[in-house]
Amino acid sequence: MHEQFIRHAISLAAEARAEGNHPFGALLVLDGQVLLTAKNSVFTARDPTGHAETNLVDAAIGQLSRDQIRQAVVYASCEPCAMCVGKMYWAGIRTVVYGLGSDELATLAGPDFLIPCRELFQRTAEPVVIVGPLLTSEARAVHEGFWKP
């Protein structure tokens, strides 16, 4: 089941890239149903914090109960950055599944403030379940040729 949702997140990343944004996508799943989807909007929204995960959490906070958010799973095309980890945690997300790992992303995009999400979530008061990396080759493909060396 994880693979189906990671592929959906990767397809959202491809859409974000086609729209002129960084290639990242995310979705929120509850009881096997996709509730919300989001894409990176850094360039089109002119907002450097417009990551797929932050956009997803914003939508979730506006549309779902705290209980629904706590029970839902975030699927992200790439390992969430430090900013996204903080926002997800404070919103109540307690399960994250991702495709491309931050170490792989660093080889493509450069090591700009990439901290593995496990390191950050290990320091939280409440446990967060983390699954990933998954479907690394597929998740990497949407980034190939995007980042300048």
Side-chain angles (χ1 to χ4, degrees):
M1 183 176 275
H2 289 323
E3 290 182 355
Q4 163 193 344
F5 294 126
I6 288 296
R7 283 192 175 103
H8 189 166
I10 293 167
S11 73
L12 291 166
E15 289 176 22
R17 180 178 177 167
E19 293 166 3
N21 291 297
H22 294 140
F24 300 98
L27 50 133
L28 193 70
V29 174
L30 180 62
D31 297 328
Q33 298 296 314
V34 176
L35 299 182
L36 298 166
T37 64
K39 300 177 268 189
N40 183 287
S41 62
V42 166
F43 294 120
T44 54
R46 296 171 43 116
D47 177 3
T49 67
H51 293 193
E53 298 91 340
T54 59
N55 292 338
L56 184 71
V57 170
D58 284 342
I61 289 169
Q63 298 177 42
L64 304 172
S65 71
R66 179 128 173 105
D67 223 25
Q68 288 174 305
I69 294 170
R70 287 183 75 79
Q71 295 172 24
V73 178
V74 167
Y75 285 87
S77 61
C78 192
E79 185 171 357
C81 74
M83 175 184 68
C84 293
V85 164
K87 187 155 190 161
M88 287 188 294
Y89 182 79
W90 291 115
I93 300 294
R94 294 299 179 260
T95 306
V96 177
V97 182
Y98 66 88
L100 190 67
S102 62
D103 56 339
E104 288 272 336
L105 179 61
T107 65
L108 298 167
D112 189 22
F113 197 56
L114 295 176
I115 302 168
C117 71
R118 277 184 176 81
E119 286 183 31
L120 297 167
F121 281 130
Q122 284 175 350
R123 298 171 182 257
T124 59
E126 292 183 31
V128 177
V129 175
I130 304 156
V131 179
L134 297 175
L135 301 176
T136 303
S137 296
E138 292 176 46
R140 184 186 316 105
V142 74
H143 291 270
E144 290 173 350
F146 179 83
W147 303 99
K148 305 294 182 236

